[in-house]
Amino acid sequence: MSLTIGVTGGIASGKSTVARAFAALGIPWVDADDIAREVVEPGEPALAAIAERYGERLLDAQGRLNRRALREIVFADPEERRWLESQTHPRIRERLEARLAQMAAGPAPYHLLVSPLLFESGQAALVDRSLVIDVPEAEQIRRTANRDGVDEAQARAIVAAQLDRQARLARADDIIDNSGDEAALRRQVEILDRRYRRLAGASP
C-alpha cells in the first residue's frame, strides 16, 4: 500500500524544505498552498466570489488576486477569514483528493500532503499519519517578517491566527525539529523515510 503522510506546521516552519528533502529520496508530494493558488486563478469561481465581495481593488491589472491585500483583510477579521475558507476549502480538497489518488497509484511506497491547515481544514482525514514541523514561535515570527516583508506585529497576527503550537504538536504522529541546521533536518528526514517505508511494507 502507499501511505499518505500529512506534513504540517506553522507559517515559516520549513514545510517546503522538508518536502524537498523527502523528494530527494524519491518521495512525491503535493502542496495544499499550490492548490490554494490554483483555485483563485483568473477564471476560477472562487476568484469571482472574492472580487464580488471585496471589489476590483483585490485584483491587479492582469485580473489576478492581490494576495497581500486579501491577507490583510482576512487576518484582521476572523469572520472574513471564515467566509474565504468557505469559498476555497471545498475546492482545494476536491483537487487534493485527485492528486493524492494519482500519487497512491504510483510506484512510491508513500507520498506527502503538505498543508499548513492540515488539522484546521479537516485535511487530516485524508492522511494516514501526521508529521509536524516544529520551530519556536519567536523563530516563526522572525522568519515570517523576513520572508514576507511584513512588520513584526503583522507576523505575530499571522502566527496567532493559526492553530496553537502545543495543540498542533499534541496531534502529531511524528515531529521534526527544524530549529537547527540543514544537516540536522536532513538526518531527521532520513530516519522518518526509513520508518515510513517499513510502515508501507517496503524494504527499509
Side-chain angles (χ1 to χ4, degrees), residues 86-166:
S86 75
Q87 299 298 310
T88 58
H89 283 187
R91 296 179 170 101
I92 292 168
R93 187 184 180 106
E94 182 180 355
R95 295 191 191 194
L96 282 176
E97 289 177 344
R99 304 286 175 88
L100 291 172
Q102 289 173 353
M103 290 189 294
Y110 68 96
H111 50 273
L112 310 179
L113 164 55
V114 181
S115 174
L117 299 176
L118 184 74
F119 300 131
E120 300 96 314
S121 66
Q123 292 170 5
L126 302 176
V127 306
D128 299 300
R129 291 181 71 85
S130 59
L131 167 60
V132 168
I133 315 306
D134 185 52
V135 294
E137 188 174 291
E139 179 66 8
Q140 272 187 280
I141 292 167
R142 185 190 69 79
R143 291 181 186 178
T144 300
N146 289 341
R147 185 190 71 184
D148 296 349
V150 299
D151 60 26
E152 183 178 330
Q154 190 171 356
R156 286 185 180 278
I158 293 170
V159 171
Q162 296 186 327
L163 186 65
D164 175 78
R165 180 187 179 195
Q166 294 306 317

Side-chain angles (χ1 to χ4, degrees), residues 4-85:
T4 304
I5 309 299
V7 179
T8 193
I11 188 171
S13 57
K15 297 177 292 295
S16 295
T17 302
V18 168
R20 287 192 292 269
F22 276 105
L25 301 173
I27 301 305
W29 56 293
V30 60
D31 191 327
D33 275 351
D34 292 340
I35 305 299
R37 283 188 282 272
E38 285 183 14
V39 302
V40 292
E41 284 291 309
E44 292 284 348
L47 182 61
I50 291 168
E52 181 178 350
R53 187 174 182 89
Y54 302 118
E56 297 297 315
R57 65 193 177 93
L58 265 292
L59 304 180
D60 64 18
Q62 287 73 45
R64 295 185 176 276
L65 180 64
N66 182 333
R67 297 179 189 283
R68 177 169 291 194
L70 180 61
R71 184 170 59 191
E72 289 173 357
I73 292 171
V74 300
F75 278 114
D77 187 334
E79 184 176 334
E80 294 304 319
R81 188 170 74 249
R82 285 191 291 272
W83 176 86
L84 178 65
E85 290 170 352

